[in-house]
Amino acid sequence: MTSREIREAFLAFFNDKGHQIVPSAPVVIKNDPTLMFTNAGMNQFKDIFLGEAQALYPRVADTQRCLRVSGKHNDLEEVGIDTYHHTLFEMLGNWSFGDYFKKEAITWSWELLTEVYKLDKDRLYVTIFEGDPADGLPKDEEAYNFWSAIIAEDRILLGNKKDNFWEMGDIGPCGPCSEIHVDCRPDAERQTVDGRTLVNADHPQVIEIWNLVFMQFNRQKDGSLKPLPAKHVDTGMGFERLVRVIQGKASNYDTDVFRPIINYIAERAGVSYGANEQTDIAMRVMADHIRAISFTIADGQLPSNNKAGYVIRRILRRAVRYAYTFLHFKEPFLHELVPLLAKQFEGVFDELSAQQEFVQKVVLEEEQSFLRTLVTGVQRFENYIGNGDAKMIDGGFAFELYDTYGFPIDLTGLLAREKGWTVDMQGFQQALEAQKSRSRAATAVDTGDWVVLREEDQVDFVGYDQLTCHTEILKYRKISTKGVDQYQLVLAKTPFYAEGGGQMGDTGVLIVADTGEQLAITDTKKEHGLIVHFTPHLPTDLSATLVAKVDVAKRRETEGNHSATHLLHAALKQVLGTHVNQKGSLVNAEYLRFDFSHFAKVSEEELLQIERIVNAKIRENIPLKEERDVPFQQAVDAGVTALFGEKYGDRVRVITFDDQFSKELCGGTHVRATGQIGFFKIVAESAVAAGVRRIEAITGSRAEQFIYEQIDIVSKFKELLNNPKDFVKALSKVVDENSHLKKEIERTVAERALSLKQDLAAKVVPVNGVNFLAEKIDVPNADAVKTLAYALKGYVDNLFLVLGTVIGDKPGLTVVISDNLVSDRGWNAGVIVRELAREIQGGGGGQPFYATAGGKDASGLDRALAKAKSYVDDHTKVIKDDE
């Protein structure tokens, strides 16, 4: 069977068993502060397991894109080294939400594996939970009895809590699980060693392929287990491993999931897969990583230096580094793999083929950027080696290469070994751990258990229609961030909009109806489908009736900005082209920020045209058309704009401003008519990432204030110019005059600097065949120093020149070395100036013949000049002695 047939057979099997087939959720997670990426198939159903949302279907099945590269599921450094770890992988899963339980899950898994996929029963083993006295949990006899009716009892193995009790995290839904393992070893080896002894022993050919999780508990903060209101089934089968087993391969990378891409890489690199371990690893790394990179970009996460974006950038750079080092791709290559991947997943995950050009462009520009960084990092490494003789790379420097230049530590080690050096790994690990500790401390949140006051399943959001309502607290919990305590509340009914879709959450107050006691609501967010309100304090009476009031002024300004983003999106498509798609947004009461796909800077003329279209639509005062319960497919078929990377339900909300202009799926709040926006003004346009531009704009009162400020600035300029009739002409004249005067000053300064040439040349002294000068000079700026230094270099042969300056209270050093001394004696001005700069508490660098440094301690200039003299004395003496 091909991989496509294997996937289709899984979905068809469970469809026949009454399961609704649902699409994969985006790999980039939103509305869950505990996760960056979808790392398990159950993530999109988390709120159902927590009892915070109702399941639309009692049974579902899917194939889910997952990414495991951070946190406790961090396999990144193993990927490519072995033959079965991956960054992005597919997880085939079937789910029951309070419907069937252990019997059906066990029976159907065996039926699928042995009757549909025709796996050899003699190669299969299963594990069940052996129990755990500490948690008061007995052996899972129920699962054991169901399995014993299917498989020989000597193939049912007991597993401990680590292997056979699945937990979402430190707190949350959990339960015993039953794993299915397959022994892929040759028959001769199987006869020698019993496969049951190799289960869960990390044997590369005796592997787990399916995990059946029986969720029946909720782990509390104190570690205790509380039964869930309903029992659920959560299964996960690694697609890549399953394909390997069915296709009879020794490695996941030998299957048709990966080999087409590996074969393409091998052909382009001019190597054979299987011929060399190092090149094989490099090809596996690239074939795996391009999947993670491409799908996360398609799902809306661009590479960056922060959080999830940094993870993706790190994966991409690891792939480029392997391509550069072991396959000798010195030019961008990874982006060439995107079309192959898009074709492979057509009809499965169409998000990639729909955005192929965009994803390819982002990968290309990231490759180009990192290859430049890689060269810079190698140069810094070479400079470090050339400036020392300890034969040991400092751990702090190795960490700087890792953290700043994206060098994996093994690359630094490789470069070091080539030079006969070693790396201080202990120092590197200390620096790495210090950074992790800082990161953990910065993001650490201590979250308490929910205290339930009222058992209600549904929270009523009324904020589309009301900004005030009576309500009660359903549950609350305490959280602490950096030692500051606050509380999260879930209300039975709320007008507060929770942050989502780029729109910031509402703020306002809760008022105790009977006493007038007030609680500030500082933020509103969504977590696992719940609307969570943040407040510094709890009310005195937790059972009291409350009046929830949204900050009306702030909400109105936010709505104006949000509606303006819809008009802006439509205007961008009209002016720039239909390729424009939203890639992110931020909407609050102050301004709006809109990121979109486009491969060139938006010109001033285009920005003006976009502004005019938006403002024309505002003046039309187009009424809002809001549809709250539209079938998703019906909305898409009607031409409504849906955003890549968003997870939409079966029923969606459609926001329309003119059927022919702007129709989008959106859960945010909006103006009742476009006229309420007032006025739209773009204040900035910039690049965010490869192929992504950003527009920042303001509306309403902020736009009015901006216009008044601009008028005031122009008025003040006019006053300074004595209110000329032609303001632009008068200002241009001042600019021209200023430019002319600056050139005159620069000419005067240069002449003054050159006048010092003869005086300094007279102070040059010969030192063993080198003309040496180290002198402090008084010049007005750095350009004058450079002019003088080059003049002396051209005037005096065999020159070794060091000039010390103090410009604006800042000490500086300039080192100039004649070209013949650089080539014949190997002297390097950049290396020398860094050493001299230590005396002035500074640093610098430059070219071998010209380099500069700045510092903080002007009193060290004399020491630096004396050190320069010692350098020349020592190095020329060695040469003279040799002669």
Side-chain angles (χ1 to χ4, degrees):
M1 297 176 76
T2 66
S3 57
R4 185 175 286 266
E5 289 169 340
I6 292 168
R7 185 191 293 111
E8 289 171 351
F10 175 88
L11 297 175
F13 177 86
F14 280 104
N15 186 51
D16 289 344
K17 303 293 186 187
H19 291 65
Q20 174 71 26
I21 307 303
V22 299
S24 170
V27 75
V28 182
I29 286 207
K30 298 174 182 176
N31 295 330
D32 186 345
T34 65
L35 290 172
M36 280 196 248
F37 303 106
T38 296
N39 63 9
M42 58 76 58
N43 289 155
Q44 68 166 307
F45 308 116
K46 198 171 175 180
D47 51 344
I48 299 174
F49 295 133
L50 287 165
E52 293 166 356
Q54 294 293 315
L56 295 176
Y57 311 99
R59 304 177 180 185
V60 301
D62 69 353
T63 176
Q64 171 66 52
R65 302 189 298 276
C66 298
L67 191 67
R68 288 188 180 174
V69 288
S70 59
K72 71 177 183 178
H73 297 300
N74 189 351
D75 299 331
L76 181 58
E77 296 308 324
E78 302 298 325
V79 174
I81 307 300
D82 59 33
T83 59
Y84 53 88
H85 274 105
H86 302 292
T87 50
L88 184 131
F89 58 95
E90 284 184 68
M91 187 67 81
L92 303 173
N94 59 288
W95 319 83
S96 165
F97 305 121
D99 187 18
Y100 63 83
F101 202 45
K102 295 180 185 179
K103 180 180 180 180
E104 293 85 349
I106 289 170
T107 303
W108 290 339
S109 64
W110 188 254
E111 180 184 348
L112 178 64
L113 291 178
T114 61
E115 297 183 23
V116 177
Y117 291 140
K118 307 295 184 185
L119 296 190
D120 184 352
K121 297 177 183 179
D122 189 45
R123 290 179 176 270
L124 297 175
Y125 299 87
V126 299
T127 63
I128 65 160
F129 181 48
E130 66 182 8
D132 185 74
D135 273 334
L137 295 173
K139 171 186 170 184
D140 191 351
E141 293 285 359
E142 188 180 7
Y144 182 87
N145 292 334
F146 288 133
W147 276 119
S148 62
I150 293 173
I151 190 172
E153 292 189 11
D154 64 347
R155 290 181 173 273
I156 306 172
L157 311 178
L158 298 181
N160 58 24
K161 183 177 176 181
K162 174 179 175 291
D163 292 324
N164 281 85
F165 192 86
W166 191 92
E167 305 203 43
M168 184 186 294
D170 294 333
I171 59 175
C174 56
C177 60
S178 188
E179 297 176 342
I180 303 173
H181 297 252
V182 61
D183 185 350
C184 301
R185 295 174 300 152
D187 287 338
E189 193 173 329
R190 291 171 60 221
Q191 291 170 5
T192 305
V193 179
D194 190 345
R196 60 182 286 121
T197 66
L198 301 176
V199 170
N200 278 329
D202 292 327
H203 192 289
Q205 299 296 321
V206 182
I207 57 174
E208 172 204 338
I209 55 170
W210 207 344
N211 190 10
L212 315 178
V213 179
F214 309 120
M215 288 198 188
Q216 50 192 111
F217 304 107
N218 192 17
R219 177 78 69 180
Q220 303 295 294
K221 184 175 175 61
D222 63 4
S224 62
L225 294 173
K226 179 181 177 182
L228 288 170
K231 296 177 180 179
H232 310 292
V233 170
D234 160 16
T235 83
M237 178 157 54
F239 175 68
E240 291 79 9
R241 289 190 180 190
L242 177 66
V243 174
R244 164 189 167 184
V245 172
I246 293 175
Q247 294 184 355
K249 305 296 183 182
S251 159
N252 294 4
Y253 291 96
D254 289 336
T255 67
D256 66 349
V257 176
F258 290 98
R259 278 311 290 265
I261 291 178
I262 287 176
N263 291 342
Y264 180 82
I265 297 169
E267 181 182 350
R268 292 281 278 106
V271 299
S272 297
Y273 184 68
N276 178 278
E277 184 181 10
Q278 282 191 333
T279 56
D280 285 357
I281 289 172
M283 286 186 274
R284 290 197 292 266
V285 166
M286 294 168 67
D288 172 275
H289 287 10
I290 191 61
R291 289 156 45 102
I293 296 160
S294 298
F295 278 111
T296 48
I297 293 171
D299 280 348
Q301 180 57 64
L302 297 171
S304 71
N305 287 329
N306 298 301
K307 298 181 181 178
Y310 176 73
V311 174
I312 303 310
R313 177 164 282 168
R314 185 178 169 212
I315 295 172
L316 189 149
R317 289 184 168 189
R318 185 172 187 259
V320 173
R321 195 272 294 182
Y322 270 94
Y324 179 92
T325 304
F326 300 109
L327 297 174
H328 307 294
F329 285 114
K330 305 304 181 186
E331 298 294 327
F333 170 74
L334 267 184
H335 66 284
E336 291 187 24
L337 304 178
V338 175
L340 278 71
L341 198 64
K343 183 69 176 175
Q344 179 181 345
F345 283 100
E346 264 184 352
V348 182
F349 304 130
D350 286 325
E351 298 91 336
L352 187 53
S353 56
Q355 301 178 86
Q356 177 184 314
E357 182 184 2
F358 170 71
V359 172
Q360 202 169 2
K361 180 74 172 177
V362 173
V363 174
L364 171 61
E365 294 205 13
E366 279 289 315
E367 285 187 275
Q368 292 170 331
S369 173
F370 180 55
L371 284 170
R372 290 192 295 269
T373 302
L374 199 61
V375 171
T376 302
V378 171
Q379 288 174 344
R380 282 190 58 80
F381 179 89
E382 294 291 345
N383 289 341
Y384 182 93
I385 292 286
N387 199 29
D389 55 10
K391 299 294 183 181
M392 171 74 77
I393 303 294
D394 177 71
F397 178 74
F399 179 73
E400 178 192 339
L401 289 178
Y402 167 84
D403 195 45
T404 305
Y405 297 95
F407 269 49
I409 188 63
D410 58 330
L411 176 57
T412 303
L414 176 66
L415 294 173
R417 285 193 297 275
E418 290 174 352
K419 299 289 186 180
W421 286 48
T422 56
V423 179
D424 173 17
M425 288 303 300
Q426 184 177 355
F428 172 82
Q429 290 297 339
Q430 287 174 349
L432 180 62
E433 188 54 43
Q435 185 204 49
K436 288 181 177 179
S437 296
R438 289 192 298 270
S439 178
R440 283 192 293 266
T443 57
V445 178
D446 183 20
T447 305
D449 289 326
W450 286 112
V451 178
V452 179
L453 303 179
R454 295 173 177 81
E455 292 286 356
E456 290 188 30
D457 295 333
Q458 198 70 32
V459 173
D460 187 11
F461 173 65
V462 298
Y464 291 139
D465 307 304
Q466 302 171 228
L467 296 183
T468 302
C469 73
H470 284 77
T471 188
E472 297 172 322
I473 299 174
L474 294 183
K475 59 183 178 179
Y476 70 91
R477 67 184 177 189
K478 183 179 180 180
I479 64 170
S480 296
T481 307
K482 296 182 180 179
V484 177
D485 294 341
Q486 58 180 326
Y487 296 88
Q488 295 179 334
L489 311 177
V490 176
L491 305 177
K493 186 177 181 182
T494 180
F496 289 89
Y497 177 80
E499 179 181 331
Q503 181 175 331
M504 294 296 96
D506 280 332
T507 61
V509 294
L510 290 178
I511 304 170
V512 178
D514 292 340
T515 66
E517 179 187 1
Q518 293 196 10
L519 287 77
I521 297 299
T522 57
D523 199 0
T524 312
K525 295 183 182 293
K526 189 170 285 186
E527 184 175 328
H528 311 315
L530 284 178
I531 298 175
V532 179
H533 307 76
F534 290 71
T535 180
H537 308 288
L538 291 174
T540 305
D541 181 2
L542 290 166
S543 63
T545 298
L546 307 171
V547 179
K549 297 183 69 172
V550 172
D551 183 328
V552 176
K554 195 171 178 181
R555 167 73 88 85
R556 295 303 182 216
E557 294 282 2
T558 302
E559 287 177 340
N561 283 329
H562 198 156
S563 296
T565 64
H566 285 226
L567 302 183
L568 171 61
H569 195 182
L572 285 165
K573 285 180 176 290
Q574 199 173 106
V575 174
L576 303 180
T578 55
H579 66 279
V580 167
N581 282 300
Q582 181 176 336
K583 291 298 172 185
S585 68
L586 172 68
V587 176
N588 58 30
E590 304 295 323
Y591 73 107
L592 66 91
R593 188 179 74 203
F594 190 80
D595 298 342
F596 57 98
S597 53
H598 188 56
F599 299 121
K601 179 177 175 59
V602 185
S603 69
E604 291 297 328
E605 293 79 9
E606 289 169 331
L607 289 174
L608 183 59
Q609 189 178 353
I610 291 162
E611 273 188 356
R612 284 175 171 163
I613 290 172
V614 173
N615 282 311
K617 292 298 178 182
I618 291 172
R619 288 192 299 274
E620 285 181 37
N621 198 27
I622 304 165
L624 166 69
K625 179 182 175 184
E626 178 195 18
E627 300 164 274
R628 294 188 187 173
D629 193 32
V630 181
F632 174 75
Q633 197 56 50
Q634 177 184 320
V636 172
D637 292 344
V640 175
T641 300
L643 306 182
F644 292 111
E646 289 290 339
K647 174 66 177 175
Y648 296 106
D650 287 347
R651 316 289 293 188
V652 293
R653 181 168 175 258
V654 179
I655 296 297
T656 303
F657 291 109
D658 182 347
D659 285 317
Q660 305 305 312
F661 187 68
S662 171
K663 298 175 69 172
E664 295 192 22
L665 300 184
C666 181
T669 64
H670 290 274
V671 296
R672 297 304 174 197
T674 59
Q676 291 176 256
I677 299 171
F679 184 68
F680 171 83
K681 178 64 185 151
I682 295 173
V683 294
E685 190 275 346
S686 61
V688 177
V692 179
R693 307 296 299 182
R694 169 173 292 171
I695 281 179
E696 295 178 46
I698 50 180
T699 65
S701 62
R702 296 303 192 287
E704 180 182 9
Q705 181 182 349
F706 177 83
I707 296 298
Y708 286 145
E709 287 172 354
Q710 298 304 305
I711 292 171
D712 185 53
I713 290 170
V714 172
S715 297
K716 288 177 179 176
F717 269 115
K718 283 183 175 181
E719 283 183 27
L720 289 171
L721 296 173
N722 295 320
N723 294 307
K725 291 182 179 180
D726 191 334
F727 170 63
V728 174
K729 182 178 179 181
L731 186 59
S732 297
K733 182 180 177 182
V734 170
V735 171
D736 290 341
E737 288 174 352
N738 183 59
S739 177
H740 175 72
L741 289 172
K742 283 179 68 176
K743 289 177 181 178
E744 285 294 314
I745 292 170
E746 289 169 2
R747 184 177 60 79
T748 301
V749 168
E751 288 175 353
R752 178 183 168 190
L754 290 174
S755 70
L756 294 173
K757 183 179 76 170
Q758 296 297 338
D759 293 339
L760 291 173
K763 296 180 180 180
V764 172
V765 295
V767 180
N768 297 326
V770 173
N771 289 318
F772 174 75
L773 175 64
E775 191 81 12
K776 283 196 291 188
I777 60 172
D778 180 17
V779 291
N781 56 45
D783 287 339
V785 183
K786 186 174 183 178
T787 299
L788 177 58
Y790 273 101
L792 283 166
K793 181 173 181 281
Y795 186 68
V796 180
D797 294 333
N798 299 326
L799 180 64
F800 186 108
L801 171 68
V802 182
L803 298 176
T805 59
V806 179
I807 300 172
D809 297 328
K810 298 291 184 182
L813 290 165
T814 298
V815 176
V816 172
I817 305 175
S818 291
D819 295 348
N820 61 302
L821 296 179
V822 172
S823 59
D824 296 344
R825 304 198 181 194
W827 289 353
N828 188 309
V831 173
I832 294 168
V833 83
R834 277 194 293 274
E835 180 62 31
L836 300 182
R838 294 180 181 179
E839 302 300 328
I840 59 172
Q841 296 182 24
Q847 299 165 293
F849 58 85
Y850 177 85
T852 61
K856 302 174 184 176
D857 183 11
S859 69
L861 280 175
D862 289 333
R863 294 193 300 272
L865 298 178
K867 187 184 251 188
K869 178 66 166 60
S870 298
Y871 181 91
V872 173
D873 285 339
D874 292 344
H875 285 73
T876 54
K877 183 177 183 299
V878 170
I879 293 170
K880 188 174 183 181
D881 290 346
D882 290 343
E883 292 172 350

